[in-house]
Amino acid sequence: GQQVMQIPQYQHVQEGEDFTTYCNSSTTLSNIQWYKQRPGGHPVFLIQLVKSGEVKKQKRLTFQFGEAKKNSSLHITATQTTDVGTYFCAFTSGTYKYIFGTGTRLKVLA
Amino acid sequence: DAGVIQSPRHEVTEMGQEVTLRCKPISGHNSLFWYRQTMMRGLELLIYFNNNVPIDDSGMPEDRFSAKMPNASFSTLKIQPSEPRDSAVYFCASSFNRGNTEAFFGQGTRLTVV
């Protein structure tokens, strides 16, 4: 079935550095969603992208959907300790089944 | 709304025992999902329901796992008999199935089978 791979699996950054995680699919996606899971917490929805080439921003976070709708990225500018967690991309298949990527675990060193 | 409510939050049980996890979705949501999260396998979709009907249970590991949704406000995931390899965090999520919408997750149940 459809799957999405995320890279990197882990990332350690110094506070203030930028961070990017990538989500790649072998097939065209109808949409891409991003979720954040804090340590010990549950996934929380951040944003959804549906248009080819779409770019959305939330403060220091920039989300992008590729032109071919097969990849997406999440970029965090000037990371803070509050950004710690695992970031998942996800998409909904034809019958609204949410398939999650493998996740990128971010650690921010103060 | 209180969000998706799961119980119990933690469960420790002995191998061979029956375990029942419970979920109350957000009122008005008509899709419900059960996920299992482990370090090795990430976030796996076990089963999902639409309007209380199981649509896809291909992610259910084996016959020891079963899920029900008797009404729009309640679902259970049962493991019988439980095994140590079932130890994981089990999440329930719900959404309003009308186009592209977000999934809302419960706090999860951390299951430990000893």
Side-chain angles (χ1 to χ4, degrees), chain A residues 2-55:
Chain A
Q2 282 184 297
Q3 292 183 356
V4 286
M5 297 299 295
Q6 280 185 254
I7 55 171
Q9 190 174 3
Y10 300 97
Q11 183 86 59
H12 292 185
V13 299
Q14 285 292 137
E15 190 174 20
E17 291 182 341
D18 291 358
F19 160 76
T20 305
T21 174
Y22 300 90
C23 183
N24 298 299
S25 169
S26 58
T27 59
T28 302
L29 304 173
S30 59
N31 63 73
I32 197 83
Q33 297 181 347
W34 285 92
Y35 291 75
K36 177 184 178 181
Q37 183 178 20
R38 294 182 187 275
H42 58 281
V44 175
F45 175 81
L46 294 175
I47 208 161
Q48 176 171 267
L49 307 170
V50 296
K51 298 178 183 176
S52 169
E54 189 171 11
V55 177

Side-chain angles (χ1 to χ4, degrees), chain A residues 36-98:
Chain A
K36 177 184 178 181
Q37 183 178 20
R38 294 182 187 275
H42 58 281
V44 175
F45 175 81
L46 294 175
I47 208 161
Q48 176 171 267
L49 307 170
V50 296
K51 298 178 183 176
S52 169
E54 189 171 11
V55 177
K56 288 188 177 180
K57 291 190 175 184
Q58 287 180 351
K59 296 183 181 178
R60 295 179 295 104
L61 278 60
T62 302
F63 305 84
Q64 189 165 3
F65 202 6
E67 293 289 342
K69 300 182 76 172
K70 288 185 176 182
N71 54 70
S72 180
S73 65
L74 158 59
H75 179 83
I76 303 177
T77 303
T79 54
Q80 300 175 358
T81 54
T82 53
D83 296 324
V84 164
T86 302
Y87 292 86
F88 292 97
C89 63
F91 67 94
T92 55
S93 67
T95 49
Y96 308 116
K97 182 168 70 171
Y98 296 83

Side-chain angles (χ1 to χ4, degrees), chain A residues 9-10 30-31 33 35 37 40-45 48 50 88 92-93 95-102 105, chain B residues 9 31 33 35 37 39 42-43 45 48 55-56 58 91 95 97-103 105-108 110:
Chain A
Q9 190 174 3
Y10 300 97
S30 59
N31 63 73
Q33 297 181 347
Y35 291 75
Q37 183 178 20
H42 58 281
V44 175
F45 175 81
Q48 176 171 267
V50 296
F88 292 97
T92 55
S93 67
T95 49
Y96 308 116
K97 182 168 70 171
Y98 296 83
I99 306 297
F100 281 78
T102 47
R105 184 176 298 177
Chain B
R9 292 292 309 277
S31 290
F33 309 83
Y35 288 88
Q37 186 173 40
M39 289 293 292
L43 203 54
L45 177 63
Y48 85 103
I55 303 299
D56 186 342
S58 59
F91 287 106
S95 72
N97 177 12
R98 194 173 180 186
N100 297 323
T101 59
E102 64 190 271
F105 281 76
Q107 304 275 15
R110 181 173 295 277

